Amino acid sequence: AVAATWPRSAALAHVSAALVLGLPLLSQHGTQVHGIRPGLSFRKTRYFTLHGGCAAARTIVHDGLRVLEPAYVILGIASDVGLVDAVAAGDAALNRGLVTFTRLREVAEECRNHAGAATFRAAIRLMDERCESPGETRTRLLLRRLGFDARSQEVVRDASGLVGRVDFMLTEHRVIIEFDGLVKYGGIDGQRALAAEKLREDRLRRLGYAVVRLTWRELDHPEAVRQLIEAAIHQVAA
């Protein structure tokens, strides 16, 4: 509704465009609607902010709304919100085919003097197109911060065939790390899913893997995560 009052040259941008595109935002982002008018002056009211932006910025139409091109949206998130949110949005955009690494790097070069350019470049280096959820993004970044070399979306097989694809694997230590978003296991379908998950973990453990499950709560306590993983490493080595 707010964007409908803007000039035709304006488009939704930054966190507002991310919401329209369905890209995840992990941090609080306020209630201001953000837009861009390339080459024109900055304007802010009680309800919205229109940024001047980069004259080279492209726009697309998504669900009937004009929004900034995803690569520029992620640049805006890097500038306004920070590194982790930019990586989460980038992971999702890459995974869904909304953007490519080539285009991200092109925009980083085009906007190298942008206030968020350094954060954006750092975010690109940390992105992973195989990532399937913002919880996995946060888990991967935490594992990296803790010094663990984790491979994402590894496929595991046994003599009977495919066991499954796991979120992360510490290959050297035979430790599997799964992010658990605490999906509800209520009802018949939920009970079946829970039973299938248990059978999958049993097969993984019979292959000699230790499995560590992390939830949003654990991700807020890095040292507790380190202890869980180190305990799993010792368990496999024993």
Side-chain angles (χ1 to χ4, degrees):
V2 169
T5 70
W6 293 346
R8 291 185 63 183
S9 61
L12 288 163
H14 300 201
V15 295
S16 301
L19 293 171
V20 169
L21 293 170
L23 301 179
L25 295 169
L26 296 171
S27 305
Q28 294 296 319
H29 48 80
T31 59
Q32 277 263 315
V33 179
H34 288 266
I36 188 170
R37 294 188 299 177
L40 298 179
S41 59
F42 176 88
R43 181 186 173 197
K44 184 171 184 177
T45 72
R46 178 180 176 185
Y47 301 106
F48 66 81
T49 299
L50 276 174
H51 304 264
C54 174
R58 303 174 188 173
T59 62
I60 62 172
V61 176
H62 185 87
D63 288 343
L65 293 169
R66 184 162 295 282
V67 300
L68 203 57
E69 179 192 354
Y72 286 96
V73 172
I74 298 164
L75 168 62
I77 293 169
S79 177
D80 291 354
V81 188
L83 179 72
V84 174
D85 284 78
V87 176
D91 282 356
L94 288 162
N95 184 263
R96 290 166 49 196
L98 297 179
V99 76
T100 64
F101 273 113
T102 298
R103 184 58 186 149
L104 288 166
R105 293 184 184 112
E106 286 174 353
V107 170
E109 178 59 25
E110 289 169 7
C111 301
R112 56 187 175 277
N113 296 323
H114 189 282
T119 303
F120 182 52
R121 288 193 298 270
I124 293 170
R125 291 193 292 270
L126 294 170
M127 290 175 192
D128 185 344
E129 72 276 12
R130 295 167 295 182
C131 182
E132 296 179 340
S133 75
E136 288 181 23
T137 298
R138 272 200 61 192
T139 301
R140 186 180 78 252
L141 294 180
L142 176 58
L143 294 174
R144 179 185 176 91
R145 200 172 97 202
L146 293 174
F148 293 112
D149 182 18
R151 297 170 62 97
S152 358
Q153 302 299 327
E154 286 289 287
V155 173
V156 181
R157 293 181 171 84
D158 63 11
S160 301
L162 178 68
V163 178
R165 188 176 56 179
V166 299
D167 292 342
F168 302 99
M169 184 188 293
L170 305 182
T171 308
E172 181 184 354
H173 302 291
R174 298 186 69 79
V175 171
I176 287 166
I177 301 158
E178 299 271 48
F179 173 76
D180 189 345
L182 295 180
V183 176
K184 299 293 184 183
Y185 290 113
I188 294 175
D189 289 342
Q191 291 171 13
R192 287 174 179 164
L194 183 61
E197 190 63 30
K198 184 180 183 306
L199 288 172
R200 176 175 175 269
E201 284 202 14
D202 288 344
R203 289 174 71 185
L204 289 170
R205 290 190 171 99
R206 283 197 294 271
L207 287 170
Y209 292 102
V211 180
V212 175
R213 287 196 164 274
L214 301 177
T215 65
W216 287 108
R217 178 176 295 180
E218 273 88 26
L219 297 184
D220 288 329
H221 301 281
E223 284 310 310
V225 170
R226 184 194 299 279
Q227 290 171 18
L228 286 170
I229 294 173
E230 288 178 346
I233 292 171
H234 292 316
Q235 175 190 329
V236 172

